[in-house]
Amino acid sequence: MRATRRAHRFGNWAATATRHSPWEDALGVVAGVTLTAVGIAILGSLGFLTGGMAGLAFVAHYLTGWNFGLVFFVLNLPFYALAIGRMGRAFTIKTAFAVALLSLMTGLSADLLRLAYIDPLFGACLGGLLLGFGLLALFRHRASAGGVGILAIFLQDKFGWRAGLTQLAVDMVVLVTAFAAVSPRAVAYSVLGALVLNLFLAINHRTDRYLAA
């Protein structure tokens, strides 16, 4: 009875044939955040950026020197209203946990991961691919890395728009603002990374191919 009341309060977290258990969600979110953090660390070490809220956090970091993780966390706060109003409490709780953990990991990335050398072309592609894998893991456990991810999942659920294509459109707009913070060469590599990320999501994140929530 107590477990039933708890499930009712925080949304439907029960494990079924098409629904992950809370334990599976926790492992999936941690794995997704870890892959995303490594992708961000690679891009950041090369002076590149990506799209979405992470891209805006990169721009603010490069222009002001503010801590990336803290800026990323603050930028995501307004999107929780959309998440809890449209996507439910369980999605919001998992997303809030993912954003907080990602902010912590990226804020400590200089102490957790140091890269001596990585080829820019390879690094842009690898960073984008790792971000794609990380976001895919979060999406498949009904969570996101906040910001555009929340909007993309909402639009896919409501209108059937591909989450990857939605993110790609927003990311291209964000990357245009990057010219104020980094060189055109860095922007070009960042665009390549964003293309790899979002095309990966557009191909692999489809509700008709993956039924578990």
Side-chain angles (χ1 to χ4, degrees):
M1 180 65 69
R2 185 177 301 174
T4 301
R5 288 198 300 268
R6 188 183 301 118
H8 178 73
R9 180 183 300 175
F10 294 106
N12 186 3
W13 287 60
T16 67
T18 58
R19 184 176 297 277
H20 295 110
S21 69
W23 177 246
E24 291 170 336
D25 278 336
L27 291 177
V29 169
V30 170
V33 168
T34 302
L35 289 171
T36 302
V38 174
I40 289 174
I42 290 174
L43 294 175
S45 70
L46 292 167
F48 302 160
L49 38 75
T50 187
M53 292 300 101
L56 290 178
F58 265 127
V59 172
H61 170 69
Y62 291 144
L63 289 176
T64 66
W66 294 342
N67 182 275
F68 173 90
L70 179 60
V71 174
F72 178 74
F73 180 80
V74 172
L75 286 175
N76 277 288
L77 292 178
F79 287 90
Y80 292 135
L82 174 63
I84 197 167
R86 297 289 186 175
M87 308 301 293
R89 290 184 180 180
F91 175 87
T92 305
I93 290 170
K94 288 182 283 187
T95 296
F97 171 71
V99 171
L101 182 59
L102 183 58
S103 299
L104 178 62
M105 284 189 173
T106 53
L108 299 175
S109 61
D111 298 321
L112 298 175
L113 180 65
R114 297 181 183 179
L115 301 172
Y117 173 78
I118 184 169
D119 178 78
L121 178 61
F122 178 72
C125 293
L126 178 61
L129 190 61
L130 287 172
L131 285 171
F133 271 108
L135 292 178
L136 181 65
L138 293 176
F139 289 171
R140 288 189 170 178
H141 286 273
R142 298 298 296 168
S144 80
V148 178
I150 295 174
L151 181 63
I153 292 179
F154 168 71
L155 292 176
Q156 176 163 294
D157 287 350
K158 189 170 183 63
F159 301 109
W161 298 356
R162 295 279 187 86
L165 296 180
T166 299
Q167 289 217 162
L168 179 60
V170 175
D171 289 352
M172 292 300 101
V173 175
V174 172
L175 287 170
V176 169
T177 67
F179 285 100
V182 297
S183 69
R185 175 177 177 272
V187 172
Y189 280 122
S190 299
V191 169
L192 174 61
L195 285 171
V196 171
L197 157 63
N198 289 290
L199 290 177
F200 175 86
L201 286 179
I203 293 170
N204 290 284
H205 184 55
R206 292 177 53 177
T207 54
D208 58 337
R209 287 181 177 172
Y210 191 80
L211 300 179

